[in-house]
Amino acid sequence: MNSFWWGHKRDRAKGIHWLSWDRLSMPKSVGGMGFKNLSAFNYAMLSKQAWRLMINPDNLVSRLYKARYFPNCDFLESAIGHNPSYVWRSIWSSKFVVRGGYRWSIGSGENISVWDHKWLYDSSSLVNPWPDNSFVAKLRVSDLMIPNSKHWNPTLISSLLGGDIAQKVFSTPLFDSVQVDKLYWQLERNGRFSVRSAYRYCINEAIDTSHLRIEERWNLIWNIKTSPRVKNFLWRLCRNCVPTCNTVN
């Protein structure tokens, strides 16, 4: 693909690649050409399958994977397991994308673990202060509520968490209209998963691309009212991708 972009044919495949594909696949706003980063796109596609396992736990495929690889927990808490299949290993590798984009909408709270799950108002999660306590480790969000009520239990929460962390819990709203715990994709306004937003998350946040970015006013080039050929040439000039000849007297 890089050879094709730089205009090399099969019989001249060893021409100059002025920039690597990683740099070309950066967004136009940071000096790239906006081409797809294949690694990030692959993770985004795999995370779509992982998301389906999470939001459709009762279908046959989800039940098979759960019985085989994470019978005692959910997908987010699952381990790679012993001798995993190629498909499971691939889906499991995209867990970091799902972790970055999901959030719980609290209904009953019975399906949401208190620890390491995003259910707070600011999309953060809580860390278990007593990891060796099996009872505390199994707490659900419903355990933090007053029984038969959609209100937080301030006495229990303050004694369990205390301080600023407890205040974050109190600031998390509980809506009577929401009766069932539901996962939604916070990277989209409608809450539905999309490969586009997952890919954008990989490029902008999950994968370190700081060494590939050049923070300049690149939009000045792309907003010029001229032909794409001219814009492309101006971009190459700014990226030093045009051969020059220096004469020596």
Side-chain angles (χ1 to χ4, degrees):
M1 291 187 296
N2 213 9
S3 295
F4 177 81
W5 169 250
W6 294 114
H8 307 316
K9 298 180 180 179
R10 290 184 178 180
D11 57 343
R12 296 187 288 110
K14 294 183 179 181
I16 298 176
H17 292 194
W18 292 93
L19 288 178
S20 67
W21 188 258
D22 288 339
R23 296 184 183 277
L24 289 175
S25 62
M26 287 292 98
K28 289 185 176 182
S29 60
V30 291
M33 285 298 296
F35 298 144
K36 278 287 186 289
N37 181 306
L38 298 185
S39 177
F41 187 69
N42 185 52
Y43 280 125
M45 292 291 289
L46 289 171
S47 64
K48 180 178 182 179
Q49 307 306 319
W51 184 253
R52 287 178 174 176
L53 294 180
M54 294 174 62
I55 65 172
N56 299 312
D58 295 327
N59 68 26
L60 180 60
V61 174
S62 299
R63 290 163 60 189
L64 286 173
Y65 275 107
K66 181 172 179 60
R68 175 67 177 83
Y69 295 108
F70 51 101
N72 301 316
C73 61
D74 58 26
F75 174 76
L76 293 175
E77 299 171 345
S78 64
I80 188 65
H82 175 68
N83 193 25
S85 68
Y86 176 76
V87 175
W88 169 249
R89 187 166 62 250
S90 300
I91 294 175
W92 189 85
S93 69
S94 68
K95 188 194 296 187
F96 74 96
V97 183
V98 178
R99 280 190 174 276
Y102 89 99
R103 184 181 173 187
W104 280 103
S105 177
I106 304 173
S108 65
E110 296 176 354
N111 299 312
I112 310 173
S113 174
V114 172
W115 318 112
D116 299 322
H117 278 240
K118 292 183 177 180
W119 54 271
L120 296 171
Y121 75 96
D122 59 353
S123 299
S124 61
S125 58
L126 299 178
V127 178
N128 187 356
W130 297 286
D132 296 329
N133 189 316
S134 59
F135 175 78
V136 174
K138 296 179 180 179
L139 284 177
R140 298 289 169 175
V141 173
S142 58
D143 297 325
L144 303 182
M145 301 180 192
I146 298 174
N148 302 319
S149 173
K150 205 71 181 289
H151 298 88
W152 296 118
N153 188 332
T155 304
L156 174 61
I157 294 173
S158 297
S159 61
L160 181 66
L161 302 173
D164 296 337
I165 299 178
Q167 189 58 45
K168 292 179 67 174
V169 177
F170 298 143
S171 300
T172 302
L174 296 173
F175 300 106
D176 293 330
S177 58
V178 182
Q179 298 296 322
V180 180
D181 299 327
K182 185 179 180 180
L183 284 165
Y184 71 93
W185 189 250
Q186 61 179 341
L187 302 181
E188 291 285 0
R189 291 183 178 180
N190 59 12
R192 299 177 181 175
F193 180 92
S194 73
V195 173
R196 179 184 60 183
S197 60
Y199 174 79
R200 189 166 57 242
Y201 169 76
C202 286
I203 290 295
N204 295 329
E205 300 182 47
I207 300 176
D208 183 15
T209 58
S210 58
H211 60 290
L212 302 175
R213 295 169 174 263
I214 299 179
E215 302 293 343
E216 298 291 347
R217 301 176 66 182
W218 295 101
N219 288 332
L220 292 177
I221 294 176
W222 306 117
N223 292 336
I224 296 175
K225 294 182 179 180
T226 185
S227 66
R229 183 185 296 273
V230 174
K231 294 180 183 180
N232 188 0
F233 179 73
L234 292 174
W235 173 83
R236 294 193 184 203
L237 281 176
C238 293
R239 292 305 306 263
N240 295 320
C241 296
V242 176
T244 58
C245 179
N246 294 325
T247 58
V248 179
N249 295 328

